Amino acid sequence: MNEYLKVFQAITQFSDRLLADEYKSVEIKQSATHLNLDVERCIDEIKQSAFRLKELVEVCFKDISQAEDVWNSKPRIAGASPVEVWEQIGELSGCDVRIRNLGKQGKYDAVVKVRKSWSEKTTKIKNQWFLWDTNHQVFQRDTIGFFEQDNLHKELRSEVDYQAERVILIVENELNLIFKELQSIDIEKIELCIECFDLHSQFRFRERLQSIGGEIVSKFTEPLKYLPESYLKNFKETLRYPVETLVHKSKMGISLIDFEESCKVIESIMDDLIVEIFDDRVKLAIHTVEKAMMFYNNFLEKQARYQQETAQQRLAEKDWMEYQRLQLREVQQYIEAVIG
């Protein structure tokens, strides 16, 4: 590139001399002028290419620096205590088992508690509006008339809203047991291992750690904020839908059969929601534990490889980096000569 630049500059110099020669013809001078303009574009192109190449070479220098940072991290990884790492893997293995058990039990308990709560509410409403006869163990009427259905509608809708809040509380309480288990993971031990790596890897690991941590906090402290797509705008609205359907089903009023069916639909919605939330959160928790175990296993694998490296191997790697840096510096000087 520099040789071509010198050639173009020589062409320009000769053209300038020709233009200064009063004995040269006008036609030749016009040709020299056109040639100068075209050569100037060639020189600009070479310099622009040099600027672009300079940026690329700077990236190459960063690659060498990154390689050197990795090279420097090897002794730190090789010298870390494998005993502590294995202890953490054992802790995480136990944590995985506990989370799976807590997930199954929590999902079951949440469904049972919500069903019990909803059954008590619907039984109270049903007995009140359809006039349950305790003595004869029968309902005295099987339909709520048109003029009374609005009041039943308001009460049922109010109870549904209350039940939605109850579901949130029950689910949060049961999920909190899993959340506490996740909080027991020793982040400081993970951080000690992360600090052994090169800076680029440290940034990458911490970014992942922060991302997963943020997702866990959000999904476990606000379980109904992340609903499946099958639900409407919010949980309460989804539960209200069967109530609105019940009211508008017949112009003659609300039958006992339709009332019971509507309550079953609401119960089914709550069951499905609890199952989906727990399955999603347990999946996230297990994934988090598995990621942590994978990190430790990869750390041990690297440690084993680095401990087997010889002094000659490390010296050869160091020489390779120095040679590449030297070659890049020569290219850099060449480029600076073109730009200057």
Side-chain angles (χ1 to χ4, degrees):
M1 185 184 292
N2 197 17
E3 293 301 321
Y4 293 134
L5 180 63
K6 290 178 180 179
V7 171
F8 285 127
Q9 288 173 338
I11 292 173
T12 301
Q13 290 173 0
F14 281 117
S15 296
D16 289 340
R17 292 177 192 171
L18 186 146
L19 290 172
D21 191 341
E22 59 181 321
Y23 295 105
K24 295 298 186 288
S25 65
V26 174
E27 290 78 11
I28 291 299
K29 287 184 177 182
Q30 287 177 343
S31 296
T33 300
H34 288 305
L35 178 60
N36 266 2
L37 292 173
D38 291 335
V39 167
E40 189 64 35
R41 282 195 285 268
C42 291
I43 293 174
D44 289 341
E45 180 61 31
I46 289 175
K47 290 188 175 183
Q48 290 299 322
S49 297
F51 279 116
R52 290 193 292 270
L53 186 58
K54 180 181 179 181
E55 293 178 354
L56 295 175
V57 169
E58 288 174 354
V59 175
C60 293
F61 273 114
K62 290 180 180 178
D63 291 336
I64 296 299
S65 296
Q66 168 63 18
E68 191 171 43
D69 196 14
V70 171
W71 186 81
N72 288 325
S73 73
K74 289 183 178 183
R76 296 196 296 269
I77 294 175
S81 171
V83 176
E84 292 186 3
V85 176
W86 278 113
E87 287 177 352
Q88 288 307 304
I89 291 176
E91 287 292 329
L92 289 168
S93 180
C95 183
D96 179 82
V97 173
R98 290 190 294 273
I99 285 174
R100 293 175 189 272
N101 291 335
L102 287 171
K104 291 179 182 178
Q105 188 63 45
K107 179 166 61 176
Y108 173 80
D109 290 345
V111 169
V112 170
K113 290 176 182 178
V114 168
R115 282 185 179 180
K116 183 175 181 296
S117 173
W118 181 236
S119 176
E120 291 173 352
K121 293 295 181 183
T122 55
T123 299
K124 178 181 177 182
I125 295 173
K126 184 167 60 175
N127 291 346
Q128 175 185 343
W129 286 92
F130 293 93
L131 305 180
W132 173 251
D133 188 335
T134 305
N135 295 327
H136 297 88
Q137 297 293 297
V138 295
F139 288 103
Q140 296 180 16
R141 58 180 180 181
D142 57 10
T143 302
I144 301 299
F146 174 77
F147 295 103
E148 294 180 285
Q149 74 174 9
D150 284 346
N151 291 329
L152 174 58
H153 173 221
K154 290 178 182 178
E155 184 173 351
L156 185 57
R157 183 168 180 168
S158 176
E159 290 299 340
V160 164
D161 287 348
Y162 170 81
Q163 187 64 22
E165 297 296 331
R166 180 67 177 158
V167 170
I168 294 172
L169 182 61
I170 291 173
V171 170
E172 285 181 345
N173 288 338
E174 296 298 332
L175 284 178
N176 191 49
L177 298 175
I178 302 175
F179 185 47
K180 285 182 178 179
E181 192 64 41
L182 286 171
Q183 288 178 310
S184 70
I185 297 176
D186 196 336
I187 302 298
E188 290 185 3
K189 293 291 178 63
I190 295 177
E191 182 62 32
L192 287 175
C193 288
I194 290 176
E195 289 177 353
C196 294
F197 285 87
D198 58 281
L199 292 177
H200 177 74
S201 296
Q202 287 184 34
F203 175 79
R204 182 163 47 88
F205 287 134
R206 289 187 179 114
E207 191 175 42
R208 291 178 184 175
L209 198 62
Q210 185 176 10
S211 175
I212 294 175
E215 184 179 6
I216 288 173
V217 171
S218 296
K219 285 193 170 184
F220 276 88
T221 57
E222 300 178 278
L224 292 179
K225 185 178 179 180
Y226 303 90
L227 293 175
E229 294 181 357
S230 58
Y231 289 82
L232 300 177
K233 293 181 180 179
N234 57 60
F235 181 47
K236 286 184 179 181
E237 184 176 335
T238 304
L239 284 185
R240 287 173 186 165
Y241 184 75
V243 178
E244 305 306 318
T245 302
L246 172 67
V247 173
H248 297 96
K249 187 171 184 178
S250 174
K251 295 181 178 180
M252 302 303 295
I254 299 174
S255 69
L256 176 59
I257 295 176
D258 288 341
F259 176 85
E260 291 177 332
E261 182 61 31
S262 178
C263 291
K264 288 180 181 178
V265 171
I266 293 171
E267 180 183 276
S268 178
I269 291 173
M270 292 187 294
D271 285 355
D272 291 343
L273 176 72
I274 293 170
V275 169
E276 289 194 54
I277 287 178
F278 267 86
D279 287 348
D280 177 76
R281 302 316 184 261
V282 170
K283 181 180 178 181
L284 173 61
I286 292 173
H287 176 74
T288 300
V289 174
E290 289 177 346
K291 280 287 186 182
M293 293 176 69
M294 188 182 302
F295 169 79
Y296 280 128
N297 284 321
N298 289 338
F299 184 89
L300 290 173
E301 185 271 331
K302 285 182 180 293
Q303 185 180 65
R305 284 195 294 108
Y306 294 163
Q307 287 174 345
Q308 293 175 359
E309 291 182 354
T310 63
Q312 291 81 2
Q313 182 179 348
R314 283 187 54 78
L315 181 60
E317 291 175 345
K318 183 68 172 177
D319 290 342
W320 174 83
M321 289 182 287
E322 289 299 328
Y323 179 75
Q324 302 305 321
R325 185 176 280 113
L326 180 62
Q327 294 292 96
L328 287 172
R329 281 173 183 162
E330 290 183 6
V331 175
Q332 190 178 50
Q333 291 173 359
Y334 179 78
I335 295 171
E336 292 296 340
V338 173
I339 295 174

